[in-house]
Amino acid sequence: MRQARTCWPVLVKKAQDAVNDAQNEIAQAMARVDQLQASHERLCRLYDEYRLREQTAQVPVMGMQASMNQRQFMAQLLNLQQRVVLDLSRAKDHVAIVRKKRALAEIELHKMKSMEAQDAKAVALEQQRHEQKLMDELGVRQFNLSLQR
């Protein structure tokens, strides 16, 4: 009599591990997105503060060198902002890719669980048929014995 195949639980576990790995990767990617968004907001606030300082008369008149340094610093802040925006875009794209990867892994997990269930059902059906056959044979023997007496 046939036994349930031992490969299905292994394949289900492998598929579940792939789903778990993808989920962890999504969590890491989302954390990276959050980190980049926080960095972008900090850079924007810092740039706005320096721009406001430059525009207000609260700051005593700076020397030419100090003014140039401030403008150069502000330009560096803008460059950093652009790099962070680019990194943020890439990080969001990565999140989308990993979500697709997780969806595919979940589909594979569903398939493996379905195959495992089908195999278990087939084994149970075969066992039920075998038991019924044995019961039928026993019934025929008993009937034959009753006729011989």
Side-chain angles (χ1 to χ4, degrees), residues 14 17 24 35 46 49 51 55-56 76 86 88 90-91 105 113 116 120 139 142 148:
K14 184 178 177 184
D17 290 346
N24 290 337
Q35 177 189 20
L46 190 58
E49 287 174 16
R51 189 172 41 115
Q55 291 174 352
T56 60
Q76 289 173 344
L86 183 61
L88 186 58
R90 287 181 183 150
K113 283 183 176 180
E116 180 182 37
Q142 285 180 345
Q148 289 177 354

Side-chain angles (χ1 to χ4, degrees), residues 6-24 98 100-116:
T6 58
C7 66
W8 296 122
V10 173
L11 292 172
V12 167
K13 183 180 179 340
K14 184 178 177 184
Q16 184 64 56
D17 290 346
V19 169
N20 294 343
D21 290 347
Q23 190 61 41
N24 290 337
V98 175
K100 286 179 186 175
K101 180 179 169 184
R102 180 189 61 191
L104 292 174
E106 287 173 345
I107 289 169
E108 190 67 19
L109 175 61
H110 180 69
K111 277 197 261 181
M112 292 302 117
K113 283 183 176 180
S114 176
M115 295 298 283
E116 180 182 37

Side-chain angles (χ1 to χ4, degrees), residues 2-3 6 16 22 28 38-39 41-43 46-47 56 72 88 97 99 104 110 128 133:
R2 184 172 95 104
Q3 294 286 324
T6 58
Q16 184 64 56
Q28 291 173 351
S39 293
E41 289 169 9
R42 279 193 306 276
L43 286 170
L46 190 58
Y47 180 80
T56 60
Q72 185 178 13
L88 186 58
I97 289 168
R99 282 189 173 147
L104 292 174
H110 180 69
Q128 184 182 16
K133 181 180 175 187

Side-chain angles (χ1 to χ4, degrees), residues 83-94:
R83 284 180 41 200
V84 168
V85 166
L86 183 61
D87 289 347
L88 186 58
S89 174
R90 287 181 183 150
K92 286 179 180 179
D93 290 345
H94 181 67

Side-chain angles (χ1 to χ4, degrees), residues 67-83:
S67 180
M68 284 177 52
N69 287 344
Q70 182 169 345
R71 286 194 183 122
Q72 185 178 13
F73 180 70
M74 289 174 67
Q76 289 173 344
L77 285 176
L78 283 176
N79 284 338
L80 278 175
Q81 278 181 353
Q82 290 171 351
R83 284 180 41 200

